[in-house]
Amino acid sequence: MQVIETLAEGLKRELKVVIPAADMEARMNERLSEVKDRVRINGFRPGKVPPAHVKKMYGKSIMAELVNEIIQKQPTEILSGRGEKSATQPEIAMTEDEKEADKILNAQADFEFTLSYEVIPAIELKDVSGIKVVREVVEVPESEINEQIERIAESTRSYEEKQGKAANGDRVTMDYEGKVDGVPFEGGKDSNAELVLGSGRFIPGFEEQLVGLKAGDDKTITVNFPADYPAPNLAGKEATFDVSVKAVSSPDKLEINDELASKLGLESEAKLREIVRGQIEGQFGNVTRQKLKRQILDQMDELYAFEVPQGLVDAEFEQIWRQINMDLAQSGKTFEDEDTTEEKAREEYRKLAERRVKLGLVLSEIGEKAGVEVSEDEMNKALYAQISQFPGQEKEIIEYFRKTPGAIAGLRAPIFEEKVVDHLLNEISVTDKTVTKEELMADDEDGDKPAKSAKAAPKKKAAKAEASEEASAEASEEAAPKKKAPAKKKAADDKAE
């Protein structure tokens, strides 16, 4: 087998691989000798079929198998022998001429194919001892714990149906149907919907107009959807809701005690407080971690400069760009609405993709040199976390991961990255700083995001990789109590986070 390098420009490589016809025929004959005793051909006893006849019957099909095996296995072996790693799956090209292909399958012509790929660049690791970061730490105040417990208590609060008019704090059970210009709109209808007045869960002006109604009352409510409402067909429009009140219920006394804890399956109020404190500390800790990681990556970005494989950049950019366009479509906005153009946005997000790829390669090299590994137990926990998000579809999810190597790699990558960050935290200078909750939560990413789109919903989605987990988790948590069409505009803001 001959391997001839035909292109070496930057990270791009192209190799011509030639396997002589004689070698291909020798491999075919070897394979034929393995199967001749197993083939069954009418007129011949088992094992007595002449080799020439076996070759005539099965030669081309076996040669086709050999060709497939070669193009599946040889690229990896060739790159390994050259001491190279391909950034993406190498592109393989071979003859499309039927006559030439037929000659190859009959061992009358050399088997030739080309490999085109980009190599992972050699990265010389830098000294990171000069990196200095600040770890912001929040001491959880009792007031924060009390507020969280009060929200939990509200969610478990009992209501008793009453006679008389609805007041703030009462729960109204109702049917409603929304219309714009007299025409019902999708998602604007519900039956036996429950709403606690004063909760702020519906769009501004809706709940206030229910105050004073009683069971059996009908009323048409007029409201205006906020200009930034997530549904473009409703944003900024006046709507009417035909409301029929089915029942009005008043809440029982809000008490935080052992009885409340018991309702939640806990032994005491003290245990409830302990759990809530731990949850809040965990939430703050996640934000601290992401901001700390961002500082590290920002300084690593300045520390390293090298050419990155454009194939990886293309893939990363396409992922970002799909999300940007999805966000724009959902918000009903355009690039012009965000004070930019598609061309400028592409340029900025392309830079973001290059940064992500570069830092990913650097972290990978650091982790490899440091011997960072992801254990089977860690992978199983990550897989279980994915499966738990799709109740009832466990078998399908497991099968998907079993058949999709890229999906498994996607589970491993964030675990590996976090372990590399842990390694770096032992190598750099970390100073702890006590801050308030407001200081911790302050958005300090302005300098990291694509210019001109800093205020747009899409910019949040395409924020740097190190901040995405924190943002998406925050959004899903906040959006949880949303209702149907009249849901408060806050849903759109949360989604943007």
Side-chain angles (χ1 to χ4, degrees), residues 205 239 272 308 322 402 433:
L272 173 60
V308 295
R322 277 196 302 271
R402 189 180 70 82
K433 177 185 178 183

Side-chain angles (χ1 to χ4, degrees), residues 11-12 86-89 91 116-121 307-319 350 353-354 357 361:
L11 300 178
K12 293 182 179 180
S86 178
T88 56
Q89 187 71 21
E91 293 182 9
S116 301
Y117 58 97
E118 287 183 287
V119 296
I120 297 291
E307 182 183 3
V308 295
Q310 289 306 299
L312 291 179
V313 175
D314 290 342
E316 185 67 31
F317 172 78
E318 288 303 320
Q319 182 178 339
R350 182 82 185 181
E354 289 177 351
V357 170
L361 293 174

Side-chain angles (χ1 to χ4, degrees), residues 63-256:
M63 188 69 88
E65 290 179 5
L66 289 171
V67 166
N68 285 328
E69 290 175 9
I70 288 169
I71 62 176
Q72 287 176 12
K73 297 178 180 179
Q74 285 299 146
T76 302
E77 295 177 5
I78 291 171
L79 266 65
S80 177
R82 290 169 57 88
E84 295 176 337
K85 292 182 181 179
S86 178
T88 56
Q89 187 71 21
E91 293 182 9
I92 300 174
M94 48 189 176
T95 184
E96 295 182 0
D97 183 273
E98 290 186 11
K99 291 182 179 180
E100 187 66 24
D102 195 60
K103 287 182 179 179
I104 294 171
L105 294 179
N106 284 298
Q108 296 171 353
D110 296 344
F111 175 39
E112 299 181 5
F113 62 93
T114 60
L115 291 178
S116 301
Y117 58 97
E118 287 183 287
V119 296
I120 297 291
I123 301 172
E124 183 180 346
L125 296 183
K126 309 286 186 180
D127 179 15
V128 297
S129 61
I131 292 180
K132 297 180 180 180
V133 296
V134 176
R135 178 164 46 207
E136 297 179 351
V137 181
V138 174
E139 295 180 359
V140 180
E142 285 299 316
S143 60
E144 185 80 17
I145 298 173
N146 292 336
E147 288 176 13
Q148 181 66 22
I149 292 178
E150 286 177 8
R151 284 195 289 270
I152 294 172
E154 284 284 359
S155 69
T156 62
R157 204 169 189 177
S158 298
Y159 287 81
E160 184 176 347
E161 193 168 328
K162 75 172 191 178
Q163 302 299 317
K165 299 179 179 180
N168 271 329
D170 287 345
R171 186 182 69 193
V172 174
T173 304
M174 60 184 171
D175 297 341
Y176 65 77
E177 182 175 25
K179 301 175 182 177
V180 172
D181 296 328
V183 180
F185 56 86
E186 185 178 356
K189 184 177 182 179
D190 200 3
S191 298
N192 294 317
E194 294 181 339
L195 173 65
V196 176
L197 302 188
S199 64
R201 289 176 60 193
F202 279 29
I203 59 177
F206 188 96
E207 297 175 21
E208 293 85 342
Q209 296 181 62
L210 296 180
V211 173
L213 298 184
K214 58 185 184 298
D217 284 352
D218 296 326
K219 185 175 181 178
T220 298
I221 290 173
T222 301
V223 293
N224 287 296
F225 279 96
D228 57 355
Y229 194 73
N233 62 312
L234 301 177
K237 292 186 177 179
E238 182 179 271
T240 60
F241 285 88
D242 297 328
V243 177
S244 295
V245 178
K246 308 289 281 295
V248 175
S249 304
S250 59
D252 61 7
K253 185 178 180 181
L254 184 66
E255 293 183 322
I256 297 173

Side-chain angles (χ1 to χ4, degrees), residues 288-339:
T288 294
R289 172 79 175 191
Q290 294 306 321
K291 295 181 78 170
L292 189 64
K293 182 177 175 182
R294 192 180 311 132
Q295 293 176 64
I296 294 173
L297 294 182
D298 284 347
Q299 293 181 60
M300 297 282 280
D301 186 31
E302 295 178 359
L303 201 57
Y304 287 89
F306 54 85
E307 182 183 3
V308 295
Q310 289 306 299
L312 291 179
V313 175
D314 290 342
E316 185 67 31
F317 172 78
E318 288 303 320
Q319 182 178 339
I320 295 172
W321 197 245
R322 277 196 302 271
Q323 186 64 62
I324 293 300
N325 282 283
M326 285 174 57
D327 294 335
L328 285 174
Q330 289 176 2
S331 65
K333 294 180 181 293
T334 65
F335 289 105
E336 287 70 24
D337 293 330
E338 307 304 337
D339 298 328

Side-chain angles (χ1 to χ4, degrees), residues 23-24 37 57 71 83 92 99 144 149 166 172 186 251 263 294 397 407 429 435 441 445 487:
D23 289 354
M24 293 296 292
D37 293 335
M57 295 289 293
I71 62 176
I92 300 174
K99 291 182 179 180
E144 185 80 17
I149 292 178
V172 174
E186 185 178 356
K263 287 182 181 179
R294 192 180 311 132
I397 301 301
S429 173
V435 298
M441 297 299 183
E445 298 178 11

